């Protein structure tokens, strides 16, 4: 009995020594400079690693590949940080996001996904964000690496006062000018679609895509297909207000089929379609949704 206890104690000591060695090996000893000249002291990286191990690793994985034990079975998989690519920065799709963009995501979560809001201090958010950058050193490390330009919502040209005309204009942009429905789905009847086409293009539409009322799965750079939301039913992950929608439409959703509309649509068209999408989102779980769907039956 005594010997077994001794043996057990010895094994435990060896294990904790091994654990210590392996920890100290992976701990950061040097400060780093990340894209945009963001300075991360070694202490931040080490504190960030501890936070990550405790809170984020179950989903995002030991080496940041998004394959943590809790990731199994999630329909929207956790981000693979080794790609150094992100969906919801306030920068044009494909550019590196700013720390503040990550803080927003940590504070608010991504609606409708397993990425919940976190109650972390400013310092903790800073530290964990610096640490996740170390998974994609070729993207983040070095003072020469650049961050995307921040997209800010200026003054809404419509505002509350002209909300109804914004929604009307947005409906036209959504269906005919930008054809958002080709991925997302349409929210007007054939007759109304044709009327809008007549107004915008000077010609009616007589043949309709039989799939126009279904959302269509799209390829992405993350190794999985992503589903465009039906705004009256699904969650919009990164936006709840017209301003946030305006920013998201300008930036797009990085690494997915949802491209940036900046420069493709005029600024007031982006505002209008943001108002329209918001009006669709407001129908979620209300009788207005059933009413709309009934009214667009052909
Ligand atoms: C329960 C699982 C889970 C945990 C725990 C979790 N996440 Fe996530 N996280 C996700 C999922 C799922 C996504 C992908 C959402 C998407 O693609 O829309 C995500 C996405 C992200 C993104 C990418 C945002 C973008 O713009 O692409 C960041 C950054 C992130 N998580 C950071 C963290 C940090 C930091 C922690 C720990 C404090 C954490 N996550 C904990 C599930 C999780
Ligand atoms: C080529 C296909 C495609 C087109 C066209 C398209 N989208 Fe998307 N959209 C997507 C996909 C895919 C997603 C989901 C991305 C993800 O989260 O993985 C998406 C997501 C969104 C989101 C949600 C963002 C969030 O935070 O979750 C909004 C809002 C949106 N699209 C609006 C629009 C509008 C408005 C238009 C037209 C101006 C448009 N989309 C055109 C494919 C498209």
């Amino acid at each position: 009995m005594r010997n077994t206890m001794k043996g057990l104690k010895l094994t435990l000591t060896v294990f904790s020594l091994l654990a210590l060695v392996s920890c100290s090996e992976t701990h950061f000893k040097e400060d780093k400079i990340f894209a945009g000249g963001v300075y991360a002291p070694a202490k931040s990286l080490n504190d960030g690693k501890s936070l990550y191990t405790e809170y984020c690793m179950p989903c995002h994985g030991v080496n940041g590949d998004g394959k943590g034990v809790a990731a199994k079975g999630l329909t929207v998989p956790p981000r693979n940080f080794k790609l150094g690519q992100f969906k919801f920065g306030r920068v044009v799709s494909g550019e590196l996001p700013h720390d503040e963009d990550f803080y927003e995501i940590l504070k608010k979560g991504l609606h409708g996904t397993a990425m919940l809001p976190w109650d972390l201090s400013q310092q903790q958010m800073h530290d964990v964000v610096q640490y996740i950058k170390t998974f994609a050193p070729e993207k983040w490390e070095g003072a020469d690496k650049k961050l995307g330009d921040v997209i800010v919502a200026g003054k809404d040209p419509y505002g509350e006062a002209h909300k109804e005309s914004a929604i009307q204009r947005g409906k036209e942009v959504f269906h005919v000018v930008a054809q958002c429905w080709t991925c997302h789905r349409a929210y007007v009847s054939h007759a109304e679609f044709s009327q809008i086409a007549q107004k915008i293009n000077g010609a009616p539409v007589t043949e309709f895509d039989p799939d126009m009322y279904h959302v269509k799965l799209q390829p992405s750079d993350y190794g999985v297909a992503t589903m465009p939301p039906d705004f009256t039913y699904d969650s919009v992950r990164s936006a709840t207000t017209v301003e946030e929608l305006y920013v998201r439409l300008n930036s797009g959703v990085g690494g997915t089929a949802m491209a940036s509309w900046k420069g493709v649509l005029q600024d007031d068209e982006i505002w209008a379609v943001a108002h329209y999408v918001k009006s669709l989102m407001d129908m979620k779980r209300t009788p207005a949704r059933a009413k709309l769907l009934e009214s667009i039956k052909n």
Side-chain angles (χ1 to χ4, degrees):
M1 181 68 190
R2 275 205 126 170
N3 277 345
T4 346
M5 281 301 281
K6 256 193 191 159
L8 187 66
K9 259 194 185 159
L10 190 68
T11 329
L12 282 178
T13 320
V14 171
F15 264 124
S16 24
L17 272 177
L18 274 177
L20 261 178
V21 171
S22 65
C23 272
S24 60
E25 253 174 18
T26 46
H27 270 41
F28 299 92
K29 296 197 181 65
E30 280 169 23
D31 306 350
K32 287 184 191 289
I33 304 269
F34 291 123
V38 175
Y39 172 68
K43 180 173 187 321
S44 270
L45 296 169
N46 289 318
D47 291 352
K49 183 182 156 98
S50 310
L51 282 163
Y52 179 87
T53 308
E54 190 173 350
Y55 299 131
C56 325
M57 195 174 79
C59 287
H60 290 283
V62 189
N63 49 21
D65 60 4
K67 297 199 176 110
V69 284
K72 288 200 187 76
L74 293 181
T75 32
V76 180
R79 188 69 64 256
N80 172 358
F81 295 132
K82 295 174 94 168
L83 298 176
Q85 187 164 30
F86 299 92
K87 286 187 183 177
F88 302 109
R90 282 175 290 193
V91 293
V92 167
S93 166
E95 306 267 10
L96 287 180
H98 294 249
D99 287 358
E100 289 71 23
D101 302 353
F102 288 126
Y103 301 163
E104 277 293 300
I105 292 166
L106 287 171
K107 279 190 250 177
K108 294 183 179 165
L110 294 168
H111 313 298
T113 79
M115 180 68 197
L116 300 175
W118 293 91
D119 192 9
L120 301 175
S121 70
Q122 192 65 31
Q123 186 66 47
Q124 287 175 316
M125 289 197 295
H126 171 267
D127 296 348
V128 79
V129 163
Q130 304 319 313
Y131 177 65
I132 63 175
K133 294 175 185 173
T134 65
F135 291 122
E138 70 294 346
K139 286 280 182 86
W140 286 105
E141 278 186 33
D144 57 321
K145 302 275 165 53
K146 298 236 172 351
L147 302 173
D149 291 336
V150 181
I151 291 168
V152 276
K155 196 176 170 334
D156 174 359
Y158 296 94
E160 263 313 291
H162 302 284
K163 195 171 125 185
E164 285 315 313
S165 66
I167 293 172
Q168 194 51 40
R169 176 70 186 139
K171 191 198 266 187
E172 297 169 3
V173 174
F174 189 93
H175 291 94
V176 173
V177 181
Q179 310 204 349
C180 313
W181 65 270
T182 53
C183 294
H184 287 275
R185 68 157 287 172
Y187 300 94
V188 293
S189 66
H190 287 169
E192 191 175 2
F193 191 100
S194 188
Q195 261 170 25
I196 299 173
Q198 175 74 56
K199 181 175 165 195
I200 307 281
N201 300 333
V205 173
T206 45
E207 274 185 42
F208 295 93
D209 180 344
D211 242 7
M212 72 186 275
Y213 300 107
H214 297 125
V215 292
K216 291 153 214 91
L217 213 59
Q218 300 293 319
S220 82
D221 295 348
Y222 300 99
V224 289
T226 61
M227 192 65 111
D230 170 346
F231 304 109
T232 66
Y233 186 81
D234 300 305
S235 299
V236 166
R237 293 179 195 167
S238 70
T240 47
T241 65
V242 171
E243 284 74 20
E244 287 169 341
L245 285 165
Y246 169 87
V247 170
R248 181 58 48 223
L249 294 172
N250 275 285
S251 56
V253 179
T256 76
M258 177 66 197
S260 158
W261 291 93
K262 196 176 161 65
V264 179
L265 295 174
Q266 287 164 21
D267 197 57
D268 68 300
E269 290 175 325
I270 299 185
W271 277 107
V273 83
H275 275 280
Y276 178 60
V277 169
K278 171 74 172 125
S279 77
L280 294 171
M281 286 162 68
D282 288 343
M283 290 180 192
K284 194 173 161 182
R285 295 200 200 95
T286 75
R289 176 171 196 266
K291 227 172 118 188
L292 172 78
L293 296 185
E294 189 56 36
S295 74
I296 64 173
K297 276 193 178 153
N298 297 301

